[in-house]
Amino acid sequence: MSNSPTPSLVKNGKEDFHHVEGLTSPNSHINVGDDYANNVNAKIRNPLLGISKPDLLAQVTAFCKEHDLEDKTSVFRKGSLLAQHPESFEDIEELDEEDKITIREEKTHKWRLPWALYYTVAICSLGSAIQGWDNTGANGANLSFPKEFGIENNTWLVGFVNAAPGISGLMSTWVADPMNNWVGRRGVIFITGLFVIFPVLGQAFTHNWWSLLICRLLMGFGMGIKTTTIPIMTSEIVPAAIRGGLVMSFQLFVAFGILVGFCSNLVFYRIGPLAWRFQLAAAFAPAVPIVILIWFCPESPRWLLKKHRYKDSFRSFCRLRNSEVIAARDLYYAHCQFVEEEEAFKGTTLAQRAKEIFTIPRIRRANLGGAIVMVAQQFSGINIMSFYSSTIFKEAGSNTLETLLASFGFGLVNFIFAFPAIWTIDTFGRRNLLLFTFPNMAWCLVAAGCCFLIPAENSARLPLIAFFVYLFTALYSPGIGPVPNVYASECFPLSHREIGVAFSIFINNTLSSILGLTFPSILSGMGPTGAFGFYAGLNMVAFVIIFFFLPETKQRTLEELDYIFGVPTRRHAAYQTRTWLPWFIKRYILFQSNARLEPLYHLEGLSGGTTVEVMAIH
């Protein structure tokens, strides 16, 4: 393993990667001069760059022999040559025409992928529908269960019951790392599915607020682990070119769950005082097919790689890719990066990995990025809409039916406008979506808050409030809605992916719990106008933080992102002020059409070792 051709990731006594000048791999004959943990030159480097063809084929032969893949040696030779020169595959003589047709289609028909991949993404993402459905079930239940349990005047206790899943999910996210290590991605999704079947159903049979609280805490325990694992699973199985569009299916199904939850609220509201029991318990439905159908999905090939189950990993990649050559390319490329990570982190414990997400620069920057998008999502105020839209519309003067119908409209808009992100998140980019939507979300909240100042007897009051809430939601759904789970699941290296995503989800659940717990009191103390204005201000704070500190990750492989997050944060921030802002002013304020934006990142090694400009942070 020490002969791997990847850059050195040697870890020093301070638990940091250090740069070794002139380090040369014995088999690769390349000088490893760019330390990806401190990528000051902002270069994204192909780890196979510079290896001679005979040396590369010899390494692949040894790799296949070591991992019992000798019958696939010719396939892996093709795959390794393709990984070394992906843009020059037409000139690789080992590839036949059938291979080249399949490779061309990765660009010309990038959505044409095996059914097993779409099936796996759909089954995994279905688990997130429970989260959205429960939010809206609680939304409708807020109109009745506080009265039944005699706590309608205790806004803190009502908030505590609503926020219970997020509170228990705070700690359960940390269990995701050892559970994934022991039973794999599929096993975790199955186990957590049980937690969102029985406790969810149990809510319908509670007779006091504390038994309802216990059920919601148990449900949240499973949801915290599930929310951590599902984006990891989907990010590890999909190709880089459409990773954002498929991983964001997590958020799409959350939006679907929200919509179905509002439909459920409308269906059951006529039952009367018992309606809340059905509204809360109905959310168990999506979990039933998950616990059965998940076993027909392929396991994450990168998790299998991490467990040194290379044959199983290759079989999994073959089910998820259009040809064996492409599967071999992706496996060998991931292997090159993995062996160095493993060498650097061999024998690390859970506690050490938890410490390393703060101490190792490359991982710390990924941790910062994951934290930023999770905090920004909660700053947007969307969870307040999910939990309390019925309360908000009731404050606007609507009756129960009008309140539920207005909330249903919120869920419908949230679902419909999630679809554009499937295409824009991998073309427009994660960062650009956020920078465009946050300022617009802020003024929508201000406008909605101001509409509460319209006299209650004015018939335009409720429609105007609903309009600006819906417009806010339409901007949220393709922006900060899908981005956080996509971003957090892709930014960490394989060695720290579970613990890194767990920390990101921990932050998200912490803020969600705090906001869910405090919003009834904020609404009571500040009034709707003040509460909406408060969240509008938080939206603008999120905008500024994203502008300076959040790197773009679109269309990069999970392995290439090591170099993206190797760029120092201060260099990224300096680029925005010294390069991007002057360009923006020249291009869009002074209308200088010849203004040229110098890209931040450069890619080496895709075309015979040349340097190719690949992206500028907009």
Side-chain angles (χ1 to χ4, degrees):
M1 288 190 179
S2 62
N3 292 339
S4 172
T6 53
S8 175
L9 309 182
V10 182
K11 191 173 67 170
N12 66 20
K14 295 182 180 178
E15 296 185 308
D16 195 357
F17 294 130
H18 70 258
H19 174 64
V20 182
E21 292 291 346
L23 179 63
T24 305
S25 174
N27 285 345
S28 66
H29 305 298
I30 58 173
N31 182 284
V32 184
D34 291 326
D35 179 8
Y36 89 165
N38 191 27
N39 187 15
V40 294
N41 294 319
K43 292 181 179 178
I44 307 169
R45 192 175 191 220
N46 187 330
L48 301 175
L49 171 66
I51 307 175
S52 67
K53 185 175 180 178
D55 284 345
L56 178 60
L57 296 181
Q59 289 179 29
V60 171
T61 301
F63 165 84
C64 292
K65 184 176 181 179
E66 179 182 356
H67 299 293
D68 196 22
L69 289 165
E70 289 180 277
D71 58 325
K72 299 294 181 181
T73 300
S74 62
V75 175
F76 274 91
R77 285 183 171 183
K78 292 180 181 180
S80 65
L81 292 170
L82 177 59
Q84 187 180 45
H85 299 293
E87 299 299 320
S88 306
F89 69 89
E90 298 284 2
D91 300 324
I92 299 176
E93 58 185 19
E94 283 79 4
L95 297 174
D96 56 38
E97 188 56 30
E98 184 177 347
D99 295 327
K100 293 178 181 179
I101 290 173
T102 307
I103 297 165
R104 290 186 200 114
E105 288 181 347
E106 285 192 295
K107 289 187 175 181
T108 60
H109 299 82
K110 61 182 180 180
W111 292 93
R112 186 181 294 172
L113 294 163
W115 73 269
L117 186 141
Y118 288 112
Y119 168 81
T120 303
V121 170
I123 294 301
C124 291
S125 299
L126 183 59
S128 62
I130 302 160
Q131 182 176 334
W133 196 333
D134 174 73
N135 284 356
T136 50
N139 192 317
N142 282 331
L143 299 176
S144 49
F145 88 80
K147 284 186 179 179
E148 181 168 338
F149 293 154
I151 59 174
E152 67 270 26
N153 295 322
N154 191 335
T155 56
W156 283 98
L157 187 54
V158 173
F160 185 54
V161 173
N162 282 324
I167 293 171
S168 59
L170 294 180
M171 301 314 301
S172 68
T173 54
W174 300 106
V175 182
D177 184 287
M179 279 191 67
N180 273 272
N181 187 51
W182 295 333
V183 298
R185 316 290 191 227
R186 294 185 306 175
V188 168
I189 292 171
F190 170 79
I191 293 170
T192 55
L194 301 178
F195 276 88
V196 288
I197 292 178
F198 299 108
V200 172
L201 281 172
Q203 294 177 107
F205 302 97
T206 56
H207 295 287
N208 45 59
W209 67 265
W210 56 264
S211 56
L212 176 61
L213 176 65
I214 290 172
C215 286
R216 292 183 65 75
L217 288 170
L218 288 172
M219 174 184 66
F221 181 84
M223 287 174 62
I225 304 170
K226 170 185 64 65
T227 306
T228 303
T229 303
I230 289 174
I232 293 175
M233 173 71 164
T234 51
S235 72
E236 289 181 343
I237 66 174
V238 300
I242 57 171
R243 184 174 61 245
L246 288 180
V247 178
M248 69 81 48
S249 63
F250 179 95
Q251 181 62 29
L252 181 64
F253 274 84
V254 170
F256 174 72
I258 289 173
L259 176 63
V260 174
F262 280 127
C263 292
S264 173
N265 290 347
L266 284 167
V267 168
F268 292 121
Y269 100 97
R270 291 187 182 276
I271 294 175
L274 295 178
W276 68 269
R277 297 183 181 274
F278 294 90
Q279 290 166 342
L280 287 178
F284 87 97
V288 175
I290 292 171
V291 297
I292 299 170
L293 299 178
I294 189 62
W295 298 110
F296 297 95
C297 300
E299 180 57 272
S300 163
R302 285 181 168 89
W303 181 85
L304 293 167
L305 173 65
K306 189 175 180 179
K307 292 296 179 180
H308 296 275
R309 293 166 55 181
Y310 280 82
K311 289 193 73 172
D312 292 335
S313 179
F314 182 60
R315 291 193 195 100
S316 182
F317 262 128
C318 286
R319 291 183 64 186
L320 299 166
R321 298 294 185 266
N322 286 323
S323 74
E324 285 192 339
V325 171
I326 293 174
R329 176 201 65 191
D330 289 354
L331 174 56
Y332 191 72
Y333 192 88
H335 157 79
C336 289
Q337 207 75 8
F338 167 69
V339 291
E340 295 294 344
E341 288 182 17
E342 185 182 50
E343 192 67 29
F345 299 107
K346 185 181 296 183
T348 55
T349 64
L350 174 60
Q352 288 172 323
R353 290 197 298 277
K355 179 182 178 183
E356 287 165 349
I357 64 175
F358 299 100
T359 58
I360 294 175
R362 178 264 180 266
I363 305 175
R364 184 175 64 240
R365 294 179 195 115
N367 200 28
L368 176 63
I372 286 172
V373 291
M374 292 299 179
V375 170
Q377 186 179 64
Q378 295 306 318
F379 276 12
S380 73
I382 191 64
N383 276 357
I384 302 309
M385 301 295 183
S386 299
F387 272 114
Y388 295 109
S389 66
S390 296
T391 305
I392 290 167
F393 288 124
K394 191 174 181 181
E395 285 278 335
S398 59
N399 59 39
T400 300
L401 179 58
E402 290 172 338
T403 293
L404 292 176
L405 285 171
S407 293
F408 169 78
F410 159 75
L412 183 63
V413 171
N414 187 35
F415 179 62
I416 291 174
F417 281 88
F419 281 94
I422 295 175
W423 295 275
T424 58
I425 198 169
D426 285 313
T427 53
F428 199 47
R430 287 77 155 135
R431 174 185 163 86
N432 284 338
L433 281 173
L434 301 185
L435 292 177
F436 172 75
T437 54
F438 264 107
N440 289 294
M441 288 161 59
W443 72 256
C444 287
L445 287 175
V446 171
C450 290
C451 288
F452 277 93
L453 301 176
I454 298 173
E457 60 272 12
N458 191 320
S459 60
R461 186 173 190 248
L462 179 59
L464 282 173
I465 291 171
F467 171 76
F468 286 114
V469 168
Y470 294 166
L471 187 57
F472 163 86
T473 308
L475 290 161
Y476 165 88
S477 296
I480 192 59
V483 167
N485 285 296
V486 173
Y487 200 94
S489 66
E490 66 189 4
C491 64
F492 292 95
L494 183 60
S495 59
H496 291 69
R497 190 161 294 149
E498 295 92 342
I499 194 68
V501 176
F503 182 72
S504 297
I505 299 298
F506 174 82
I507 291 174
N508 191 279
N509 285 347
T510 299
L511 287 175
S512 175
S513 300
I514 292 171
L515 298 179
L517 182 64
T518 59
F519 187 73
S521 298
I522 291 175
L523 188 61
S524 176
M526 300 176 64
T529 302
F532 276 54
F534 172 71
Y535 280 100
L538 292 181
N539 273 258
M540 292 311 299
V541 171
F543 170 82
V544 173
I545 294 172
I546 289 165
F547 178 79
F548 284 106
F549 303 116
L550 192 72
E552 181 59 81
T553 58
K554 69 171 183 176
Q555 297 187 0
R556 301 262 64 87
T557 69
L558 296 179
E559 290 71 35
E560 287 169 350
L561 289 178
D562 283 337
Y563 296 93
I564 296 290
F565 288 98
V567 177
T569 303
R570 62 184 179 276
R571 171 159 184 164
H572 182 274
Y575 174 85
Q576 309 310 318
T577 54
R578 298 174 186 174
T579 304
W580 189 87
L581 272 179
W583 167 81
F584 182 84
I585 292 170
K586 291 176 183 177
R587 182 67 182 85
Y588 294 106
I589 297 179
L590 301 179
F591 300 105
Q592 296 179 8
S593 58
N594 61 344
R596 182 179 181 276
L597 178 62
E598 177 67 25
L600 173 59
Y601 303 125
H602 298 267
L603 184 59
E604 284 190 342
L606 286 191
S607 304
T610 59
T611 299
V612 183
E613 296 178 351
V614 291
M615 110 179 33
I617 298 296
H618 292 179

